Amino acid sequence: MDRLSRRSFLKSTSLGATILASSAYSNPLSSLILSDKKQKNIDLDYVIFDKGIEKSEEFAQKMKALGTKTYEINKDISQMWSEVISPTWGKNKNTAIAGLTTYETMFVLERLAFDKGMLMYFNAEHNIANNNINHELQASKVEIDKIKKNLDKYDWTDALALKINNYEYERIDSKTKISTNNNKNEKNQILYSWIIAPRKVS
């Protein structure tokens, strides 16, 4: 994968000014805002990507630039099971993960999550075909509205990275479809973005 720094990613999505402005908060106020944000948002441990799937690897690099560790899947999850899932899921520390992957990877992880008392808080199908990308989003209505706004401003993987990196604990209660232009002439394929985290809502 090509390396992508946090600085270059933020510049590419026009967020540099926002980050700089946020650092200008007074200390007491910024501490309050950040602590409240941390309680409400899912604290991701890993972003999962499928080796050899270009958009999956690209998305992982963008998430890494935003501060999330990455974990590679190379056709099966046996290594991830022994290193991440088995030691944490269903135990004292439940590891929260997200990804942009094939359906097979998402399906296997979703089934394991269900058996371990974890919950899928967001999932979306991204059907890349010719000049359009059709996104079918399943999430809370509030988060869907935020994703749609991001999709109007940024490239679709940028929009996903920015939202998934800052995603609230809200149960899936809404579904919507939205289309974006395929300006990069990406090859036709279907990928899935998702978040799996400890169950914190009923």
Side-chain angles (χ1 to χ4, degrees):
M1 287 188 287
D2 293 333
R3 295 198 176 277
L4 179 70
S5 70
R6 178 184 175 90
R7 181 186 180 93
S8 62
F9 176 58
L10 292 175
K11 284 179 67 177
S12 72
T13 54
S14 304
L15 290 182
T18 303
I19 298 300
L20 288 173
S22 67
S23 67
Y25 286 143
S26 63
N27 287 335
L29 178 58
S30 62
S31 298
L32 177 62
I33 291 171
L34 292 174
S35 63
D36 183 58
K37 180 179 175 182
K38 188 172 183 180
Q39 290 173 7
K40 290 182 178 179
N41 291 349
I42 294 173
D43 188 12
L44 290 173
D45 295 282
Y46 292 98
V47 59
I48 311 304
F49 68 93
D50 285 313
K51 183 179 181 181
I53 306 294
E54 182 180 357
K55 298 307 288 186
S56 181
E57 293 182 345
E58 176 188 305
F59 176 75
Q61 281 294 337
K62 291 176 179 181
M63 290 292 286
K64 184 176 182 180
L66 292 171
T68 305
K69 293 178 289 187
T70 62
Y71 198 97
E72 176 186 287
I73 299 292
N74 189 6
K75 297 184 179 178
D76 71 71
I77 66 154
S78 56
Q79 185 174 352
M80 183 177 172
W81 169 265
S82 62
E83 293 182 356
V84 177
I85 296 174
S86 183
T88 62
W89 286 12
K91 308 236 170 60
N92 290 333
K93 183 185 185 306
N94 293 310
T95 300
I97 59 175
L100 175 67
T101 65
T102 61
Y103 176 79
E104 290 76 14
T105 297
M106 181 188 74
F107 177 78
V108 170
L109 291 171
E110 181 184 18
R111 296 312 305 164
L112 290 171
F114 179 81
D115 292 341
K116 295 289 186 179
M118 303 283 280
L119 191 66
M120 182 170 279
Y121 285 87
F122 163 78
N123 69 77
E125 178 185 286
H126 310 280
N127 190 339
I128 305 167
N130 302 321
N131 296 323
N132 292 311
I133 306 174
N134 296 311
H135 311 274
E136 184 170 323
L137 310 171
Q138 296 188 74
S140 71
K141 186 179 185 310
V142 171
E143 294 296 344
I144 282 178
D145 289 343
K146 293 175 183 176
I147 292 170
K148 288 169 74 173
K149 288 179 182 178
N150 279 353
L151 285 169
D152 288 339
K153 297 178 183 177
Y154 311 119
D155 174 77
W156 71 279
T157 52
D158 289 346
L160 282 175
L162 291 168
K163 185 63 243 157
I164 288 177
N165 184 64
N166 183 30
Y167 200 93
E168 292 189 12
Y169 269 110
E170 296 287 346
R171 180 180 281 279
I172 291 173
D173 63 10
S174 189
K175 181 187 291 188
T176 195
K177 294 182 180 180
I178 185 171
S179 292
T180 56
N181 292 329
N182 187 10
N183 297 321
K184 295 184 177 178
N185 196 27
E186 299 162 359
K187 67 178 181 180
N188 293 1
Q189 60 185 324
I190 301 177
L191 294 173
Y192 295 82
S193 57
W194 45 269
I195 300 172
I196 294 172
R199 187 183 297 272
K200 295 231 178 134
V201 296
S202 58

